[in-house]
Amino acid sequence: MNADLRTVSICTGLGGLELGVKSVAKTRTVMYVENEITASQVLGQRIKEGNLDDAPIWSNLRTFRGEGLHGKVDILIGGFPCQPFSVAGKRLGDDDPRNLWHEVKRIARELGHPTLFLENVPHIKRFYWDEIRPKLRAMGYRTEEVLVTARETGAPHKR
């Protein structure tokens, strides 16, 4: 593959998902969206060091609009907040104000339906099967799911 796949990274965190995708595909991130100031500072440092692609960092997923990048993005990458679904939280799901699934869906539409690579905690499964998967299919997406433990990725924590 000669051409880079252009990506938008949402809920980027420290950029680990982007580094993982870049290790298996020739990608070029054109926008990061991350609202945590400490994470954004780390992203800026990783960009400066050349470990992540040089691209703007948008600070709020709810205000990010993808229309300006419509048709110019191949992959939307992200790990939207897990707190609404995590066993460590209150498990409010769609009723949790931190649930950003509807923003992810909106941005995918605005970008022109790029390939999606999304990750979350195992306890999102019910919401995924009841809400996310049917909505993606209605948008024309073909879906594939995989459950990978933190241990399988080499991470030390239980997740």
Side-chain angles (χ1 to χ4, degrees):
M1 177 184 313
N2 292 335
D4 289 351
L5 295 170
R6 294 156 305 196
T7 68
V8 166
S9 170
I10 59 172
C11 305
T12 306
L14 303 179
L17 195 55
E18 293 65 36
L19 291 172
V21 169
K22 190 175 278 297
S23 75
V24 297
K26 191 171 171 64
T27 61
R28 167 83 176 92
T29 302
V30 298
M31 176 69 72
Y32 301 97
V33 183
E34 175 54 54
N35 74 324
E36 295 290 334
I37 189 68
T38 303
S40 295
Q41 290 170 338
V42 172
L43 287 175
Q45 186 62 37
R46 288 185 169 176
I47 291 168
K48 184 178 176 183
E49 293 167 350
N51 296 317
L52 289 174
D53 295 319
D54 189 5
I57 303 170
W58 193 271
S59 65
N60 187 335
L61 192 69
R62 287 185 168 93
T63 65
F64 175 73
R65 297 294 176 254
E67 292 95 345
L69 294 171
H70 184 90
K72 299 176 184 173
V73 174
D74 302 295
I75 307 172
L76 177 62
I77 298 173
F80 58 98
C82 66
Q83 295 92 333
F85 310 100
S86 174
V87 294
K90 295 179 181 177
R91 296 183 226 163
L92 297 176
D94 208 19
D95 294 328
D96 193 313
R98 297 169 294 182
N99 179 19
L100 295 178
W101 154 245
H102 301 286
E103 299 298 329
V104 174
K105 180 176 59 172
R106 172 189 57 80
I107 291 167
R109 189 175 294 117
E110 291 172 356
L111 291 173
H113 299 91
T115 296
L116 303 178
F117 185 84
L118 305 172
E119 69 89 19
N120 214 288
V121 294
H123 280 83
I124 197 173
K125 287 187 291 189
R126 178 58 35 217
F127 185 72
Y128 172 78
W129 289 104
D130 292 346
E131 169 70 21
I132 295 174
R133 189 173 193 262
K135 292 291 191 296
L136 290 175
R137 289 190 164 215
M139 292 169 68
Y141 282 101
R142 181 177 56 89
T143 60
E144 293 184 32
E145 304 81 19
V146 63
L147 180 61
V148 180
T149 66
R151 175 180 280 174
E152 291 173 300
T153 68
H157 58 285
K158 291 182 182 180
R159 187 170 180 173

